[in-house]
Amino acid sequence: MRVLHLIVARGGSKGIPRKNLQEIAGLSLLGYRAITARRSAHCTRLIISTDCPEIAAEARRHGAEEPFRRPDELAGDTAAGMDVILHAMAWVRANGRETFDALMLHQPTSPFATP
């Protein structure tokens, strides 16, 4: 089974500035999710959908690809999560030769998931 793992992390946050880059025990929330995804037996490809260069750099540091930058209309706090997922899936379909059987969604605000 080929599974695309998608981390979604926008730069803006109303409650906690730089939320997705906050650290617990020296590792960012984003880092926890990227490491967990890469350790999964079913991770064919790991990408990030973000509007923020700093988040993109942190994701790359932990082994994720940044094949595109999330458009502004999907980066605000009113953007629907499903629209972000559909954008990523459409981009992968239009810009690659790979096909996937499933998509696994990763949100940095749930850092303690297991592979």
Side-chain angles (χ1 to χ4, degrees):
M1 175 176 261
R2 295 181 52 77
V3 182
L4 174 65
H5 284 239
L6 174 65
I7 299 173
V8 293
R10 66 186 183 88
S13 174
K14 284 184 176 179
I16 302 171
R18 303 177 67 238
K19 171 177 59 182
N20 294 306
L21 298 172
Q22 295 300 308
E23 293 184 356
I24 299 172
L27 185 60
S28 69
L29 297 179
L30 178 70
Y32 278 103
R33 290 315 307 225
I35 290 168
T36 298
R38 286 190 9 257
R39 288 183 179 163
S40 169
H42 303 289
C43 183
T44 305
R45 185 176 181 190
L46 173 60
I47 65 173
I48 182 140
S49 173
T50 188
D51 61 315
C52 175
E54 191 176 8
I55 288 174
E58 179 72 356
R60 288 190 308 269
R61 190 168 80 84
H62 291 287
E65 299 173 47
E66 183 207 6
F68 57 85
R69 189 63 51 97
R70 188 187 304 184
D72 290 342
E73 63 269 16
L74 296 176
D77 58 346
T78 60
M82 184 55 74
D83 290 338
V84 172
I85 294 167
L86 292 172
H87 171 265
M89 291 172 58
W91 192 97
V92 168
R93 190 173 322 126
N95 293 282
R97 295 185 183 110
E98 290 183 284
T99 58
F100 297 93
D101 301 302
L103 179 130
M104 178 67 187
L105 179 65
H106 295 274
Q107 295 175 307
T109 52
S110 299
F112 299 120
T114 60

